[in-house]
Amino acid sequence: TDEIMQQEIRPLVAVDIIEQLHRQFAILSGGRGKDGAPIITFPEFAGFSEIPDDDFLNVVTYLTSIPSLEAASIGFIIIIDRRRDKWSAVKASLTRIAGAFPGNLQLVFVLRPSRFIQRAIADIGIKLYRDDFKMKVPIIMLNSVSDLHGYIDKSQLTRELGGTLEYGHSQWIHHRTAIENFAMTVKTTAQMLQTFGTDLAETELPNDVQCTEELLSSHTEHHSKLKDELKLAVKQGATLLTCIREPVTRSANSKLSPDELENVATVERLLAQLDETEKAFDQFWTKHHLKLEQCLQLRHFEHDFREVKLALDNLMETQAGFVDIGDSVTRVENLLKEQKHLEEKGQEPLEKAQSLALHGEQLIQNNHYAVDSIRPKCVELRRICDDFTNETKKKYDILGKSLELHKQLDKASQWCEAGIYLLASQAVDKCQSQEGAETALVEIEKFLVTAKEHQLSNPKEFYNQFDMILTPEIKANAQRIVQKLEDVQEMFDKRQVSLKKLAAKQTRPVQPVAPHPESSPKRASPKITRPATVENLRQFCGAPGRRPAAQNGNHALVHGLKEKCISKSQDHIINELIETERVYVEELQSIIEGYASEMDNPNLVHLIPSALQNKKEILFGNLPEIYYFHNRIFLKEIENCIENPELLARCFLKRKEDLQIYEKYCQNKPRSEALWRQCGDSTFFQECQRKLDHKLSLDAYLLKPVQRITKYQLLLKEMLKCSKNSEGTAELEEALATMLDIIKSVNDSMHQIAITGYEGDVSELGKLLMQGSFNVWTDHKKGHNKVKDLARFKPMQRHLFLYTKMLLFCKKREENTDGHEKTASYSFKNSLKMSTVGITENVKGDNKKFEIWYNGREEVYIIQASSVELKNTWISEIRKVLTGQLEACR
């Protein structure tokens, strides 16, 4: 079969010499000699001698390249038709063919000129010049086509040579061009597939989802285009095959020539090559496409794993920070709600993690290539899920125990309160009679039976039961309540002893001690045990003085009282402090829940004015922080002072830093008030006030923290009056000084934020020590005398701010704001560095004046205070600053 694909061996194709082939000076009709030798015919062609050598050689070379190697090896038969020509043309044709024919020759037939003279010349010429033609094969001169039929069968000759072989030169050229184009298409397609396959094999798999998707899309698109090219090539080959077979299809009697049969074989072979190439390519593509899809699956899995892992890590971190086990029933119940919320919040990431782990296992079952990467991630996801579930169960167990403990502690505490209330309610005068004593004994016995109902027969039993979960704080509280139980039981024992004596034998009446008015029963079970009532009980029972403290350092309820009776007025002050603190906490709570939280209520959003949008923090400041401190910490601590009044001063000293939160609230108050003036009459605030059933509007409640912080020092002063020369007086004085200092700090900061025009940062000037208004004269050595004289007689009103690093001189300005009260601001005028000033404490002629001078008295500021005491306070503070700087230099 003709090896058309090997272009490096046979570079010529029909399209290269299409013009020369169309001239038809030589044809390969497809006929064969009796032994199968291919026949090349040189038809009559007037300009044969004028054909360029290259054109002749190209055409003859091309024609000899078409038959199969087997046919060509037999040798070619050449028929030269020169019947209408002269001997010279015959001679020229033989000479050219002999010199340029590239293939093996078997026979040369020459149809000599038909005219008599030219035929005679030809006979002579062939005899004379046969050797000159240098042909190693016979040259047979024929007179007619009938002579030719003696050598070659008519069926192998065209009609021009008296044969029956159908030959159309144009159609032959068309077939040859089409076959060669198809061969080139097959070769190009195969090369494209091979190149694409090489690119696929060398492609590195991307590391992210997007790049993998883009690569998969790109490769799939390229694959689809190549498949379309293959389909077109197959269609082209099938069409060509139909065209070649067309004569046989058209007529059953027709037969294809050997050359046409070879053309059919060539096309079929090319189609078979295409089919094999396509199958091999499809097999390779299937593997590559699977790997790309698995890579995309892996990248999606890794991406989802990172997201889920981050969510799980955050969840575990939140859970790890959940260490509080509560210090009261309410707190534990809130913690249980928080734990439940965390558990619900964790459901979504946990479900995603489980789903992703299941998906990973499915990938492994489907023989994914990255099993070693997927399996550890699945294991880790399941481990984290199990850890969270197990830890959640532990949290619930611990909180459950904590809730049970605090409920029992509360029951025990309530039982103690009820017991004390019972003892306090038994009137002393009524118990003097036998009947009254017996009635009181029955009441006590009935009450003591309830201890068994509350499982309190053994007071330490419930404490030991929960020993493993107790924090030091809860353990101390539990020990305090256990001690309290023992104290109350002891009180009952002593009361029973006294009552039994009275019931058995009437004795001299005991002088009655009336209970304090405030201990009269206003409610069924009072939360506050009145110390005076307890003291009355102890007098009645003959109880001894204060017992030693429990080992944990907490004082027992009753025996925590002083050995001397606390005066009624001091008792009243503590109760007033606690009651007003409770009311204050409730008011703060109502503000936060009834106003601040409602600003986030979707049903009320339409009522909120635009000027108030996103300004909750401006209106309320750090009110939630204040509420949290008082509700969770301060109220509980001062409630403990009922049993231990001497601890009250320590509460204020201990919480000195915490109470500084009021400074931030007060600093924000002007902004809050300005915003209220702008929006206070809105429907939103009216609706909130209606729901809360408040008689006063919100601005009155926002003033409560300012009022409360100033109230404490008044209560402490009252306490001091009742505690002169008694134990704890020194601590009360220190607590009062602390509260006054806090109020001063708050007040100073309120003035400080009103400073305007100072280009620096006041926070860099050190601590604000003092601030106040003064008359100020200036005396400068440099400058006009008139200016000095004027300065001496006309004082300036200046507000001074003393910092550790700087002294600021400001001018106070007051402005009316929308018809409301005046607001002060301080316009910055001058400043002096404290590291460069000196001070003269006394100025001749006025004991309220002092001097601050600068640059060796180059600038002198004469300052007049409103009182000698104020002047001395300022001089003292300035001296401390200057002394501190001197010591720092040393």
Side-chain angles (χ1 to χ4, degrees):
T1 303
D2 178 19
E3 298 295 330
I4 293 178
M5 294 293 291
Q6 300 180 17
Q7 292 223 356
E8 64 277 6
I9 298 173
R10 202 169 46 255
L12 279 176
V13 290
V15 72
D16 296 337
I17 54 171
I18 194 75
E19 292 181 7
Q20 293 91 320
L21 289 175
H22 274 298
R23 294 172 73 180
Q24 205 173 337
F25 60 80
I27 62 171
L28 183 70
S29 63
R32 293 285 194 273
K34 292 178 181 179
D35 57 358
I39 299 172
I40 293 177
T41 305
F42 288 90
E44 289 182 318
F45 190 81
F48 185 80
S49 60
E50 297 173 1
I51 296 170
D53 291 340
D54 287 344
D55 290 355
F56 178 80
L57 181 61
N58 285 340
V59 170
V60 175
T61 302
Y62 178 68
L63 294 178
T64 55
S65 70
I66 293 172
S68 65
L69 293 176
E70 183 183 354
S73 65
I74 298 171
F76 288 88
I77 296 174
I78 292 178
I79 299 174
I80 303 172
D81 185 4
R82 293 294 180 263
R83 286 173 292 175
R84 296 178 185 176
D85 219 327
K86 300 177 181 178
W87 158 249
S88 59
V90 174
K91 180 181 177 184
S93 297
L94 287 170
T95 303
R96 172 166 274 188
I97 291 167
F101 193 79
N104 294 330
L105 285 174
Q106 188 188 83
L107 284 173
V108 178
F109 294 101
V110 179
L111 286 171
R112 68 181 73 185
S114 56
R115 284 179 292 179
F116 178 78
I117 296 173
Q118 291 300 324
R119 182 179 294 178
I121 295 171
D123 289 340
I124 297 168
I126 196 66
K127 291 177 183 177
L128 293 173
Y129 295 103
R130 183 182 294 272
D131 293 337
D132 293 345
F133 297 140
K134 297 180 182 177
M135 287 191 180
K136 298 178 181 179
V137 296
I139 300 173
I140 300 172
M141 301 294 289
L142 302 173
N143 292 324
S144 65
V145 292
S146 58
D147 294 342
L148 181 62
H149 297 162
Y151 294 96
I152 300 172
D153 191 88
K154 284 184 178 183
S155 63
Q156 302 300 316
L157 297 171
T158 61
R159 293 183 183 281
E160 288 79 10
L161 297 177
T164 59
L165 180 65
E166 293 291 338
Y167 176 77
H169 191 61
S170 295
Q171 187 185 43
W172 180 89
I173 291 174
H174 175 70
H175 282 179
R176 290 309 306 168
T177 306
I179 290 169
E180 288 165 357
N181 281 343
F182 179 53
M184 183 56 65
T185 298
V186 171
K187 181 178 180 181
T188 304
T189 303
Q191 287 174 342
M192 283 165 49
L193 293 177
Q194 185 177 6
T195 302
F196 182 52
T198 303
D199 290 344
L200 296 187
E202 294 175 353
T203 300
E204 290 187 9
L205 298 177
N207 291 323
D208 60 273
V209 172
Q210 185 179 350
C211 292
T212 307
E213 286 177 340
E214 290 172 356
L215 184 66
L216 180 59
S217 174
S218 170
H219 283 190
T220 304
E221 184 181 353
H222 199 168
H223 170 259
S224 298
K225 287 180 180 178
L226 288 176
K227 288 291 285 186
D228 290 342
E229 295 283 345
L230 273 168
K231 287 177 183 177
L232 285 174
V234 170
K235 186 176 180 181
Q236 179 185 350
T239 305
L240 180 56
L241 205 57
T242 303
C243 290
I244 296 172
R245 288 173 172 164
E246 190 265 337
V248 179
T249 309
R250 189 175 66 245
S251 172
N253 297 326
S254 297
K255 289 184 179 180
L256 297 178
S257 69
D259 281 358
E260 288 173 328
L261 289 172
E262 285 187 7
N263 287 345
V264 169
T266 298
V267 175
E268 287 177 341
R269 175 176 57 76
L270 291 170
L271 285 170
Q273 285 181 6
L274 269 182
D275 186 55
E276 288 175 6
T277 303
E278 184 176 15
K279 285 179 181 177
F281 176 70
D282 285 346
Q283 188 177 7
F284 175 78
W285 169 253
T286 301
K287 292 180 181 178
H288 178 74
H289 188 256
L290 175 63
K291 189 162 188 179
L292 274 183
E293 285 187 326
Q294 287 188 341
C295 177
L296 183 58
Q297 290 170 346
L298 178 64
R299 299 302 175 241
H300 275 298
F301 178 79
E302 290 172 340
H303 177 266
D304 293 345
F305 173 79
R306 285 192 292 270
E307 285 190 345
V308 171
K309 178 72 164 51
L310 181 62
L312 289 178
D313 287 346
N314 290 337
L315 197 64
M316 293 297 289
E317 186 178 348
T318 304
Q319 190 183 57
F322 202 91
V323 294
D324 191 2
I325 62 170
D327 54 6
S328 66
V329 172
T330 305
R331 177 59 181 157
V332 177
E333 287 174 344
N334 287 335
L335 288 173
L336 281 166
K337 288 178 184 177
E338 290 175 16
Q339 181 63 45
K340 183 68 176 174
H341 176 69
L342 180 63
E343 187 181 20
E344 290 171 355
K345 180 184 173 184
Q347 284 306 306
E348 185 180 352
L350 286 175
E351 287 173 5
K352 284 184 178 178
Q354 295 287 6
S355 175
L356 187 60
L358 185 62
H359 175 57
E361 287 168 358
Q362 288 172 349
L363 292 178
I364 293 171
Q365 288 174 5
N366 293 335
N367 299 318
H368 197 285
Y369 71 85
V371 172
D372 292 340
S373 173
I374 297 171
R375 182 173 282 119
K377 291 181 173 63
C378 294
V379 171
E380 185 172 6
L381 288 174
R382 293 199 186 280
R383 178 189 62 76
I384 296 175
C385 290
D386 291 343
D387 287 351
F388 180 79
T389 304
N390 294 334
E391 196 61 31
T392 299
K393 186 176 181 303
K394 286 181 185 176
K395 297 284 185 188
Y396 276 127
D397 291 344
I398 290 172
L399 289 174
K401 284 279 187 186
S402 179
L403 183 63
E404 186 180 351
L405 168 65
H406 284 102
K407 281 182 176 179
Q408 291 202 32
L409 290 176
D410 281 1
K411 282 181 182 179
S413 184
Q414 289 165 9
W415 185 85
C416 290
E417 298 288 348
I420 294 170
Y421 183 71
L422 172 63
L423 293 174
S425 64
Q426 292 180 337
V428 177
D429 53 348
K430 291 181 180 179
C431 294
Q432 300 303 311
S433 67
Q434 184 176 3
E435 183 182 353
E438 288 175 349
T439 302
L441 274 170
V442 171
E443 289 176 350
I444 290 173
E445 286 169 359
K446 283 182 179 179
F447 182 77
L448 290 177
V449 171
T450 62
K452 295 178 181 177
E453 292 175 9
H454 292 294
Q455 297 179 341
L456 297 173
S457 54
N458 182 355
K460 292 187 177 179
E461 185 178 324
F462 66 88
Y463 163 64
N464 294 329
Q465 182 182 352
F466 302 104
D467 187 50
M468 293 300 293
I469 66 161
L470 295 180
T471 62
E473 293 80 10
I474 297 175
K475 185 178 288 187
N477 188 37
Q479 289 171 341
R480 183 179 61 80
I481 291 175
V482 169
Q483 184 65 53
K484 188 174 177 180
L485 282 168
E486 293 174 352
D487 291 338
V488 172
Q489 185 64 51
E490 184 181 346
M491 291 169 68
F492 274 115
D493 292 343
K494 291 183 178 180
R495 176 64 66 88
Q496 282 177 312
V497 170
S498 299
L499 289 171
K500 283 176 182 178
K501 288 179 181 178
L502 288 170
K505 181 182 178 181
Q506 285 294 316
T507 59
R508 184 170 56 86
V510 177
Q511 177 67 33
V513 181
H516 193 279
E518 287 165 356
S519 64
S520 345
K522 293 181 182 178
R523 52 177 80 91
S525 179
K527 292 183 180 178
I528 302 178
T529 305
R530 309 297 182 183
T533 304
V534 174
E535 193 62 35
N536 291 339
L537 284 171
R538 293 177 63 181
Q539 288 178 2
F540 178 78
C541 297
R546 180 178 176 184
R547 291 172 55 189
Q551 287 183 359
N552 67 333
N554 289 322
H555 301 296
L557 173 66
V558 177
H559 297 288
L561 300 174
K562 295 176 180 290
E563 291 181 0
K564 296 180 180 179
C565 292
I566 299 176
S567 69
K568 291 181 181 180
S569 55
Q570 187 177 11
D571 206 17
H572 176 73
I573 293 166
I574 292 178
N575 289 331
E576 181 188 351
L577 173 62
I578 294 172
E579 289 297 343
T580 55
E581 186 73 13
R582 285 175 180 158
V583 172
Y584 176 52
V585 168
E586 288 172 4
E587 287 174 340
L588 293 181
Q589 184 179 1
S590 71
I591 298 171
I592 291 168
E593 294 179 356
Y595 286 99
S597 296
E598 289 296 275
M599 288 182 71
D600 299 322
N601 185 346
N603 299 325
L604 297 179
V605 168
H606 65 285
L607 298 178
I608 300 175
S610 58
L612 191 59
Q613 296 285 347
N614 301 319
K615 292 183 179 177
K616 188 200 296 189
E617 290 186 1
I618 293 178
L619 184 62
F620 297 99
N622 63 329
L623 195 70
E625 185 183 6
I626 293 173
Y627 168 68
Y628 180 89
F629 166 69
H630 283 272
N631 182 47
R632 298 289 296 278
I633 299 170
F634 200 58
L635 175 58
K636 293 179 181 179
E637 289 183 354
I638 62 175
E639 281 177 340
N640 290 334
C641 296
I642 289 184
E643 301 170 17
N644 305 287
E646 69 274 13
L647 297 180
L648 182 64
R650 296 181 197 172
C651 288
F652 286 94
L653 294 172
K654 178 182 176 182
R655 297 300 171 187
K656 177 181 178 180
E657 295 300 325
D658 295 309
L659 288 166
Q660 296 291 340
I661 54 177
Y662 280 91
E663 186 173 323
K664 183 178 178 182
Y665 184 82
C666 292
Q667 284 178 350
N668 181 67
K669 200 71 178 69
R671 296 173 69 206
S672 173
E673 290 171 351
L675 186 60
W676 171 259
R677 287 194 292 272
Q678 194 176 354
C679 311
D681 57 353
S682 72
T683 311
F684 169 75
F685 290 119
Q686 293 170 10
E687 177 64 16
C688 292
Q689 185 177 345
R690 184 190 64 77
K691 285 184 179 180
L692 291 168
D693 196 23
H694 278 180
K695 293 180 181 179
L696 299 175
S697 57
L698 174 62
D699 59 329
Y701 286 91
L702 290 176
L703 198 58
K704 295 286 183 182
V706 181
Q707 296 168 338
R708 188 61 183 170
I709 192 63
T710 58
K711 179 77 172 176
Y712 292 126
Q713 55 95 13
L714 297 174
L715 291 168
L716 287 170
K717 283 178 180 177
E718 291 299 316
M719 283 289 288
L720 261 176
K721 289 177 184 178
C722 304
S723 307
K724 285 296 181 184
N725 303 319
S726 64
E727 185 182 352
T729 302
E731 282 190 332
L732 277 172
E733 289 174 344
E734 188 180 352
L736 175 60
T738 296
M739 289 311 301
L740 290 172
D741 188 49
I742 289 172
I743 293 170
K744 176 184 176 298
S745 178
V746 169
N747 186 48
D748 288 349
S749 70
M750 290 285 287
H751 287 278
Q752 177 181 262
I753 62 170
I755 296 174
T756 62
Y758 180 68
E759 294 183 356
D761 185 354
V762 293
S763 64
E764 296 178 356
L765 303 182
K767 184 180 178 183
L768 176 60
L769 304 173
M770 302 285 288
Q771 55 82 27
S773 294
F774 297 89
N775 289 329
V776 178
W777 291 264
T778 59
D779 186 1
H780 300 284
K781 288 184 178 180
K782 295 180 180 178
H784 200 276
N785 287 334
K786 287 185 179 180
V787 176
K788 286 174 64 178
D789 294 341
L790 183 64
R792 287 187 179 278
F793 293 103
K794 190 176 180 183
M796 296 176 288
Q797 298 298 315
R798 290 290 182 262
H799 200 91
L800 271 58
F801 292 87
L802 175 62
Y803 296 89
T804 53
K805 295 182 181 179
M806 191 85 76
L807 178 65
L808 300 188
F809 292 81
C810 300
K811 184 174 183 179
K812 185 176 181 180
R813 302 181 188 277
E814 291 185 343
E815 299 174 359
N816 288 321
T817 54
D818 303 331
H820 291 75
E821 69 280 359
K822 293 181 179 180
T823 58
S825 66
Y826 301 100
S827 177
F828 172 74
K829 293 297 181 182
N830 192 19
S831 65
L832 299 176
K833 288 184 180 179
M834 293 304 293
S835 59
T836 58
V837 302
I839 183 170
T840 303
E841 296 183 9
N842 296 306
V843 176
K844 187 176 180 181
D846 191 339
N847 61 356
K848 291 185 287 185
K849 288 182 181 179
F850 63 97
E851 288 182 345
I852 294 178
W853 39 269
Y854 193 55
N855 284 346
R857 298 189 65 86
E858 201 170 87
E859 296 178 23
V860 179
Y861 296 85
I862 303 166
I863 298 167
Q864 183 183 48
S866 58
S867 67
V868 176
E869 291 78 13
L870 180 63
K871 166 195 162 181
N872 292 335
T873 303
W874 271 74
I875 287 173
S876 175
E877 284 297 327
I878 294 171
R879 193 186 298 117
K880 286 178 186 177
V881 173
L882 298 179
T883 305
Q885 290 175 352
L886 186 61
E887 289 177 354
C889 292
R890 289 174 181 172

